[in-house]
Amino acid sequence: MARQVISGIPVSAGIAIGKAFFVNRSLRGRLPRQTVASALIGEEIERLERAFVEAETELMAIRDRIPDELQEHKHIINSHVMILKDPKILGSAKKYVNEHQLNAEWALEKAVADLEKAFSALHDTYIRERMQDVQAVVERVQSRLLGEQRDASAIEGRVIIMAHDLTPADTVVLDVNKIIAFVVAMGGKTSHTGIMARTMGIPAMVGVSELEAEVSDGDLVIIDGFKGKVIIAPDDEELATYHELQVRFDVYQRSVVKECLLPGETSDGYRVKVLANIELFEEVAVVIDNGGEGVGLYRTEYSYISRTELPNEEELVEEYTDMASILSPRRVVIRTLDLGADKFMAHFGKLEEGNPAMGLRAIRFCLTHPELFKIQLRAILRASVVGNISLMFPMISGMREVVAAKALLDEARTELRNAGIPYDPDMPIGIMIELPSAVMVAEFLAKEVDFFSIGTNDLIQYSLGIDRTNHHVSYLYQPLHPAVLRMIKQVVDAAHQEGIEVSLCGEVASDPYCVPILMGMQIDCLSMSPKAIPGIKRVIRQTSMEECKSLLRQVLECNTVSKINKLVKQTIFQRYPEELTFVTSLLDIDEGVPEHPLRPAS
Ligand code: PEP
Ligand code: MG
């Protein structure tokens, strides 16, 4: 195999050297469509049956490796096994082989298309949405027909997980102990893969469009999570260079972690609270170990996504109470459910929406499911007696939603009061500012809540009009776009005008190129992936408020993002050369990456 380098978007820092393992590949255009000679029909049917059996064995093996505490994951796998065992799909595919002499792959496609037609005629959305599970199962069988293995947990040793696409639902069945990096063909700068990889402290790349064409299972590759490169079949010299970089990164990380309990305070005494974004209860220890001053964003939807049944109120109370008690006296901001878009729950299935990012997600979903929402609200209220919990509503577009969400919260309070169940009546209530409309009315919203948290991952997506999970437009994902900077500043100023605190919890908060500018705006808190905390605290400590303000002034005078990126690159790189060697930035800052390409990456 010849040495080759392909590139993509680096979304989690670090170097990984190891073998590639694909958990899925796009099947589009790869499924052969052939007719089978009459004499070979028997063999073709056997091939089809064998693929069903192998897919089942694969699923059982995955299920057996799921730890007991993740019972719900087992349910998902069980439901897939049941679909496989249902004689309808196999029976119908066999018929296509027998009667129309189609090869197994094609016959299976036809069988699924028939089923899809039948499902779509049904009015029951739940049943129609089960079609997604059927598709997932059939893809597994198709992969087996193509001779591809999809059970990552069956492999020996630790591997670099590669995929066409990785949704939160795909990752719940992976054994994290066997993964040293993620590389995905799809995805944008703030898609779920990067967030998860940063939490795990392993490198990751997304938007690697050539991945599936160029890399095979078992290939030795280097993942450069700083520059966004996959080096296939590296030579000895490269291996040695990257081993050395890996060691240097390790030494750097250890040195910053040693200082992580020091406060995030500038040399001239300005204090920024540095908090953590987490998705799972288990990450609480990582927050403490990395000097997090609390949790600025608990993405509660992940404990819903990983199961088929809705969690009940008692389970949620226990989860939130335990988290708050362990972190006490540090603060914990619990964000209410942000389901929808790419985060959907097996219980509801993926909604049939042409444009899910702009669809029924987050607070919109909750306000249309008030009973489900109130279970979570009551649970948060009940856990609030620990004393350090704040509640935050996501995706607020204007006053109407704040008022509606607070009215439901009031109902939940009344129900608890009537039942004699205690809660903290002073629990702070905040909202996420992640829609341009919320920015524009921030001065009104600030009168309604106790704090703001700016969600730049979505704010950038909605203000620049680019899907954050789409690599074709990720070159337009520019956090330092003059429009984005003005919006952030407007929100900070509106919050301070009203005397409320403002935090920023998008990925920008952990980007050392962006942090000094945010500090210049006098942001109160930054919330980020826990492992980024030590490095960002060091950047803050090495800076003065005076220089942050001066940089902000210069940046606000620039009328294009490329001027800003250039200015920031020059100024910041000179200041923190070490920190910047070891980060992935949301900015297109590297020489190899065009700063402002006129055409999208292919
Ligand atoms: C954001 O949008 O910036 C954010 C932090 O929320 P999420 O990434 O969960 O959408
Ligand atoms: Mg968001």
Side-chain angles (χ1 to χ4, degrees):
M1 191 184 20
R3 176 192 174 277
Q4 201 189 340
V5 182
I6 55 177
S7 55
I9 306 162
V11 287
S12 182
I15 301 294
I17 303 172
K19 297 248 162 99
F21 187 94
F22 274 90
V23 287
N24 64 54
R25 282 174 178 271
S26 169
L27 294 172
R28 188 177 299 165
R30 294 201 300 128
L31 294 173
R33 289 180 170 198
Q34 290 148 2
T35 46
V36 190
S38 318
L40 297 176
I41 284 180
E43 254 176 54
E44 196 62 7
I45 288 198
E46 261 175 42
R47 195 165 81 84
L48 183 62
E49 287 174 338
R50 207 166 39 243
F52 268 76
V53 172
E54 285 170 357
E56 189 182 330
T57 313
E58 210 171 81
L59 279 173
M60 304 288 232
I62 293 176
R63 193 187 58 185
D64 291 346
R65 290 189 186 88
I66 295 175
D68 286 344
E69 57 279 16
L70 298 176
Q71 277 304 325
E72 291 298 328
H73 294 192
K74 293 197 182 198
H75 293 325
I76 299 176
I77 303 289
N78 282 341
S79 66
H80 285 195
V81 172
M82 271 159 66
I83 293 171
L84 262 180
K85 286 184 167 227
D86 185 326
K88 269 198 255 8
I89 306 175
L90 179 59
S92 153
K94 274 161 85 175
K95 218 164 145 191
Y96 273 111
V97 180
N98 257 326
E99 293 174 12
H100 300 269
Q101 295 185 229
L102 304 187
N103 68 332
E105 289 89 341
W106 194 0
L108 196 49
E109 266 186 273
K110 296 286 263 180
V112 175
D114 290 347
L115 201 63
E116 211 161 8
K117 217 180 282 166
F119 267 45
S120 63
L122 296 174
H123 293 299
D124 184 329
T125 10
Y126 179 77
I127 296 184
R128 267 194 282 139
E129 280 157 3
R130 294 283 64 73
M131 195 59 215
Q132 276 184 335
D133 290 320
V134 173
Q135 264 143 0
V137 169
V138 167
E139 273 182 27
R140 187 175 288 282
V141 179
Q142 296 279 32
S143 299
R144 296 304 319 190
L145 283 169
L146 296 175
E148 290 166 1
Q149 150 90 274
R150 295 173 50 130
D151 175 12
S153 51
I155 47 178
E156 296 295 322
R158 301 171 77 215
V159 290
I160 296 168
I161 291 291
M162 304 209 161
H164 171 68
D165 198 6
L166 265 188
T167 66
D170 292 325
T171 50
V172 296
V173 293
L174 294 175
D175 178 353
V176 292
N177 298 316
K178 295 201 162 166
I179 305 170
I180 55 171
F182 286 112
V183 187
V184 184
M186 308 291 282
K189 286 180 188 171
T190 61
S191 48
H192 166 77
T193 306
I195 292 175
M196 199 180 53
R198 279 194 296 279
T199 304
M200 291 165 67
I202 60 172
M205 287 171 58
V206 299
V208 188
S209 44
E210 293 169 278
L211 185 69
E212 292 164 88
E214 303 302 339
V215 183
S216 308
D217 275 323
D219 283 356
L220 176 67
V221 292
I222 296 175
I223 307 305
D224 181 340
F226 301 115
K227 294 209 161 82
K229 288 197 287 188
V230 178
I231 306 170
I232 308 158
D235 56 37
D236 289 347
E237 203 181 319
E238 247 163 348
L239 282 169
T241 309
Y242 274 98
H243 270 303
E244 196 204 317
L245 187 57
Q246 225 173 5
V247 172
R248 278 176 54 207
F249 182 48
D250 201 41
V251 170
Y252 162 76
Q253 278 186 309
R254 282 172 210 264
S255 82
V256 281
V257 168
K258 261 194 222 146
E259 305 167 1
C260 75
L261 294 179
L262 295 173
E265 188 171 316
T266 60
S267 55
D268 46 359
Y270 180 82
R271 182 78 197 269
V272 187
K273 289 182 208 124
V274 185
L275 301 120
N277 295 349
I278 62 172
E279 278 99 53
L280 298 170
F281 179 81
E282 292 75 28
E283 292 167 55
V284 167
V286 191
V287 177
I288 298 172
D289 292 348
N290 285 280
E293 295 174 70
V295 167
L297 169 65
Y298 176 32
R299 293 182 162 107
T300 55
E301 54 278 3
Y302 285 83
S303 41
Y304 285 67
I305 290 171
S306 56
R307 42 198 296 171
T308 45
E309 295 305 318
L310 290 170
N312 65 38
E313 188 173 320
E314 298 309 316
E315 286 174 274
L316 293 177
V317 173
E318 192 182 325
E319 177 186 323
Y320 303 153
T321 306
D322 287 353
M323 180 178 290
S325 308
I326 296 169
L327 284 163
S328 176
R330 300 173 191 86
R331 150 180 201 210
V332 180
V333 180
I334 302 184
R335 177 177 75 181
T336 60
L337 276 179
D338 188 359
L339 282 174
D342 62 333
K343 295 180 279 198
F344 56 91
M345 198 192 155
H347 180 81
F348 294 102
K350 202 168 181 174
L351 295 175
E352 261 184 56
E353 295 182 301
N355 206 341
M358 299 214 197
L360 196 63
R361 63 171 285 204
I363 196 71
R364 306 162 182 193
F365 178 86
C366 287
L367 292 175
T368 53
H369 293 79
E371 285 317 310
L372 164 122
F373 192 26
K374 270 208 303 191
I375 292 173
Q376 187 182 35
L377 295 178
R378 277 197 303 269
I380 299 173
L381 281 167
R382 286 173 61 185
S384 70
V385 290
V386 180
N388 54 343
I389 290 182
S390 304
L391 178 150
M392 174 160 82
F393 298 119
M395 282 281 292
I396 293 292
S397 65
M399 289 292 279
R400 201 173 64 120
E401 280 158 348
V402 183
V403 171
K406 281 174 53 177
L408 281 176
L409 186 62
D410 269 340
E411 275 180 32
R413 285 193 185 106
T414 308
E415 286 162 13
L416 292 179
R417 213 169 29 246
N418 292 343
I421 301 173
Y423 62 88
D424 173 10
D426 300 320
M427 173 177 69
I429 310 298
I431 53 170
M432 287 195 69
I433 303 287
E434 40 192 353
L435 286 167
S437 59
V439 173
M440 299 313 288
V441 295
E443 58 184 298
F444 303 129
L445 297 171
K447 295 188 200 317
E448 290 295 319
V449 293
D450 302 309
F451 64 95
F452 283 163
S453 189
I454 308 175
T456 43
N457 302 343
D458 279 314
L459 184 59
I460 295 170
Q461 146 163 282
Y462 295 120
S463 55
L464 300 183
I466 40 153
D467 177 352
R468 65 191 257 197
T469 65
N470 179 344
H471 69 281
H472 295 294
V473 286
S474 72
Y475 73 107
L476 289 171
Y477 194 95
Q478 296 289 357
L480 298 185
H481 190 292
V484 174
L485 290 177
R486 276 164 177 70
M487 286 194 200
I488 299 175
K489 185 163 185 316
Q490 192 171 326
V491 175
V492 175
D493 292 346
H496 288 167
Q497 185 76 30
E498 210 46 53
I500 65 168
E501 197 171 73
V502 55
S503 168
L504 191 145
C505 62
E507 298 310 304
V508 168
S510 58
D511 192 321
Y513 286 101
C514 303
V515 165
I517 299 172
L518 302 172
M519 288 166 59
M521 295 182 190
Q522 296 191 296
I523 197 95
D524 301 301
C525 322
L526 294 170
S527 192
M528 63 200 72
S529 154
K531 294 215 166 124
I533 291 173
I536 291 299
K537 276 189 165 178
R538 187 187 272 188
V539 167
I540 296 170
R541 281 200 310 280
Q542 290 179 0
T543 314
S544 73
M545 190 44 136
E546 202 188 319
E547 61 180 320
C548 292
K549 284 191 171 160
S550 152
L551 178 63
L552 175 67
R553 260 193 309 275
Q554 294 173 62
V555 157
L556 288 176
E557 278 166 18
C558 299
N559 58 1
T560 68
V561 70
S562 45
K563 282 184 198 158
I564 297 176
N565 281 354
K566 210 169 279 163
L567 171 70
V568 167
K569 181 179 172 180
Q570 280 158 4
T571 319
I572 310 246
F573 197 79
Q574 281 161 13
R575 290 287 287 111
Y576 326 100
E578 197 186 14
E579 278 64 29
L580 298 180
T581 310
F582 295 120
V583 295
T584 52
S585 174
L586 292 161
L587 271 55
D588 293 335
I589 219 92
D590 202 69
E591 289 83 40
V593 183
E595 210 162 52
H596 202 48
L598 296 174
R599 56 188 171 78
S602 59

